[in-house]
Amino acid sequence: MIKPTIPLEISDYLILPLALRPLAAFPTPATHYLYLRQHAPKIPTPDTARSLFIVNVPIDATELHFRYLFANHLGNTRVESVTFESERDNAPKPAIAAPAAEPKGKVGKKRKRAEDRAVEEYSEASELPKTWDRDLHRSGSTAVVVFVDKASAETGFKAARKAAKEGTKIYWGDGFEGKIPALGSARYLTHQRLTYPSPSTLLSSVNSYMTTYSALEASRAAAATRARNEPDEEGFITVTRGGRTGPARQEEAQEKAEKQKQKKGLEDFYRFQSREKKKERAGELVRKFQEDREKVRRMREGRGRFRPE
């Protein structure tokens, strides 16, 4: 039987064979093929020039796999980061919207950093604990490998071309056994343990979430209060929901009520004290009425009298 010949390139992609060790479940040696090329996205980024685009990533691939592959087999180059297709598709989105916008004008840098930090902490606290200790990829997925510089990316690609052309046998996954979570039955035992955490772990997670949520709500309320009291560039104050006496002024209303209580003291603490005060006010009104009526009577009596000079 004639063994099929694997081309060196196909559609601008370099084909790099990787040997797979036999396993107890599959004792036959196998070969996996990586497809590499210079990264050329539709919208270039600052990292495009020092990146490689890889297709047909092994399902058990991790960042450590690619770091070891390029550092030990492909030109001794250094990898800065690896972004897998699943990470790009499932990129975390903000859990909630940012706090209320500041009025137009200068915004304090410390205040802005504090609000951004609160949103970031809330996003982290709102994430549920992972139930898998290691991510697997779908068959045929892609990844973007970013090197420390452009020269490293070019060197790594040239070394991959040389290894493919010379038929150098590169074993996938050799050299760092025990440094990544195991697959097989150990993976599912770990998944079972992470799916049902201890009550103390759950309590700690809930407390962290509620603390961060309360801090973020206070930050948003303070931002809304400032927005109601500070004018914009044209000198106008934006009218928002709740009016001038809405929730944004709740703190001020509470402070004013506390001051009134302090001034008032225990003067009207008992009901009979209120009744006595009402009687005193009524008696004072009757007395003033009698005095005014007496003045009017005297004025009427004094009309028409002759007063010699």
Side-chain angles (χ1 to χ4, degrees):
M1 182 177 179
I2 300 176
K3 186 176 180 180
T5 303
I6 304 299
L8 183 63
E9 293 183 357
I10 181 171
S11 299
D12 297 332
Y13 283 90
L14 172 67
I15 302 177
L16 178 64
L18 298 176
L20 303 179
R21 296 284 186 183
L23 300 175
F26 190 77
T28 304
T31 303
H32 186 89
Y33 297 94
L34 284 183
Y35 301 86
L36 303 85
R37 69 171 173 83
Q38 296 290 338
H39 190 34
K42 294 181 179 180
I43 303 177
T45 65
D47 299 332
T48 299
R50 56 190 181 101
S51 304
L52 292 181
F53 185 71
I54 301 179
V55 182
N56 198 31
V57 173
I59 62 172
D60 63 339
T62 63
E63 184 172 330
L64 184 60
H65 279 89
F66 285 105
R67 288 181 180 273
Y68 185 86
L69 174 66
F70 284 96
N72 293 273
H73 300 288
L74 302 178
N76 193 23
T77 52
R78 294 176 57 190
V79 173
E80 180 178 300
S81 63
V82 180
T83 305
F84 295 97
E85 179 182 346
S86 57
E87 296 176 357
R88 297 194 302 268
D89 295 341
N90 301 324
K93 300 179 180 179
I96 60 174
E102 290 283 344
K104 296 180 180 179
K106 295 183 179 180
V107 180
K109 293 183 179 180
K110 292 184 179 180
R111 182 190 308 169
K112 181 63 176 171
R113 286 197 298 266
E115 293 175 355
D116 292 343
R117 193 183 308 113
V119 173
E120 183 179 354
E121 291 177 356
Y122 177 83
S123 300
E124 294 176 356
S126 62
E127 293 181 359
L128 295 176
K130 289 186 176 181
T131 58
W132 295 99
D133 59 350
R134 179 176 173 182
D135 294 330
L136 298 181
H137 314 285
R138 67 175 184 84
S139 179
S141 62
T142 63
V144 177
V145 180
V146 181
F147 294 83
V148 292
D149 51 28
K150 183 179 180 181
S152 298
E154 294 175 351
T155 302
F157 188 75
K158 291 178 181 179
R161 179 183 294 276
K162 182 179 179 180
K165 189 175 183 179
E166 296 178 355
T168 304
K169 181 168 286 189
I170 301 174
Y171 285 96
W172 176 260
D174 282 4
F176 48 90
E177 293 81 359
K179 296 182 180 180
I180 56 177
L183 299 177
S185 59
R187 168 179 170 83
Y188 292 95
L189 290 174
T190 305
H191 171 66
Q192 176 70 13
R193 178 174 55 82
L194 295 176
T195 303
Y196 302 98
S198 62
S200 59
T201 303
L202 289 177
L203 180 61
S204 175
S205 177
V206 172
N207 290 339
S208 175
Y209 173 85
M210 295 305 300
T211 301
T212 309
Y213 177 79
S214 300
L216 182 59
E217 285 295 303
S219 175
R220 296 181 66 184
T225 303
R226 291 191 297 269
R228 295 182 188 211
N229 297 329
E230 297 181 10
D232 56 14
E233 295 177 353
E234 298 179 356
F236 294 96
I237 296 179
T238 304
V239 179
T240 56
R241 182 178 179 184
R244 299 294 295 174
T245 58
R249 290 188 173 272
Q250 185 176 1
E251 297 178 359
E252 297 178 4
Q254 291 178 352
E255 293 179 1
K256 188 174 181 181
E258 291 295 334
K259 291 181 180 179
Q260 290 179 350
K261 288 181 179 180
Q262 293 176 0
K263 291 181 179 179
K264 193 172 183 181
L266 299 178
E267 189 176 355
D268 297 334
F269 184 78
Y270 296 102
R271 188 176 299 177
F272 76 89
Q273 292 178 333
S274 299
R275 289 199 300 265
E276 293 295 332
K277 277 198 168 185
K278 289 180 181 180
K279 290 181 180 180
E280 291 177 1
R281 287 195 294 268
E284 184 68 18
L285 291 175
V286 171
R287 186 180 61 79
K288 290 183 178 180
F289 174 74
Q290 296 292 346
E291 292 178 355
D292 294 340
R293 189 170 61 175
E294 183 65 22
K295 290 180 181 179
V296 172
R297 186 185 63 79
R298 292 174 182 176
M299 292 173 62
R300 288 178 178 175
E301 291 179 352
R303 287 179 185 177
R305 292 184 179 180
F306 176 76
R307 294 182 181 179
E309 294 182 359

